[in-house]
């Protein structure tokens, strides 16, 4: 079940880690390049609505928080997990190595209002 946290609240908490953060992707231009790992991307992946009396009275957003690192980084993972635990946000982690980018991607699925 989602906490009372919003996407905006989540962004603020992620930014407080000191790791570069963006929603979906970093905007890349001639003046601005994407950061080198580690960095965090987060993205709303689905919304579930609960209905009563023919109205949506509650919407819960599924959000993926993706931590990208050049090598397995237990310290950064612990930082994210502490942030989620302190915010009472249950999470489901998953991890993969992206060969094409040569980075680890650790994804935390969370639910917010």
């Amino acid at each position: 079940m989602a906490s009372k946290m919003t996407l905006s609240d989540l962004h603020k908490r992620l930014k407080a880690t000191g790791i570069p953060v963006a929603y979906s992707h970093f905007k890349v231009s001639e003046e601005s390049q994407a950061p080198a790992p580690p960095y965090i991307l987060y993205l709303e992946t689905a919304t579930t609505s609960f209905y009563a009396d023919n109205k949506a009275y509650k919407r819960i957003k599924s959000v993926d928080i993706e931590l990208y690192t050049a090598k397995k980084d237990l310290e950064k993972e612990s930082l994210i997990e502490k942030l989620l635990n302190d915010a009472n946000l249950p999470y489901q982690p998953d991890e993969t190595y992206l060969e094409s980018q040569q980075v680890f991607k650790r994804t935390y699925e969370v639910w917010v209002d």
Side-chain angles (χ1 to χ4, degrees), residues 26-29 32-36 39:
F26 288 94
K27 293 182 181 177
V28 177
S29 67
S32 174
Q33 297 298 313
Y39 59 86

Side-chain angles (χ1 to χ4, degrees), residues 9-108:
D9 296 332
L10 180 61
H11 178 84
K12 289 174 190 170
R13 286 182 184 249
L14 291 171
K15 202 167 170 104
T17 64
I19 302 170
V21 178
Y23 183 84
S24 176
H25 62 282
F26 288 94
K27 293 182 181 177
V28 177
S29 67
E30 289 182 20
E31 299 83 31
S32 174
Q33 297 298 313
Y39 59 86
I40 297 170
L41 299 177
Y42 68 102
L43 178 69
E44 180 182 335
T45 58
T47 300
T48 301
S49 297
F50 295 93
Y51 296 91
D53 299 325
N54 295 321
K55 294 183 181 181
Y57 73 93
K58 176 86 170 164
R59 286 195 169 87
I60 297 176
K61 298 172 184 168
S62 175
V63 177
D64 281 355
I65 300 167
E66 301 171 345
L67 171 64
Y68 292 85
T69 57
K71 60 180 177 56
K72 178 76 173 163
D73 194 330
L74 297 174
E75 184 178 307
K76 297 285 189 281
E77 291 174 17
S78 292
L79 183 65
I80 300 296
E81 291 167 11
K82 181 176 182 342
L83 173 150
L84 297 173
N85 287 328
D86 288 351
N88 295 317
L89 277 177
Y91 59 89
Q92 183 64 43
D94 185 41
E95 183 172 285
T96 190
Y97 182 73
L98 303 176
E99 186 72 39
S100 63
Q101 298 175 26
Q102 297 187 337
V103 295
F104 286 91
K105 178 178 87 167
R106 183 149 178 102
T107 303
Y108 299 91

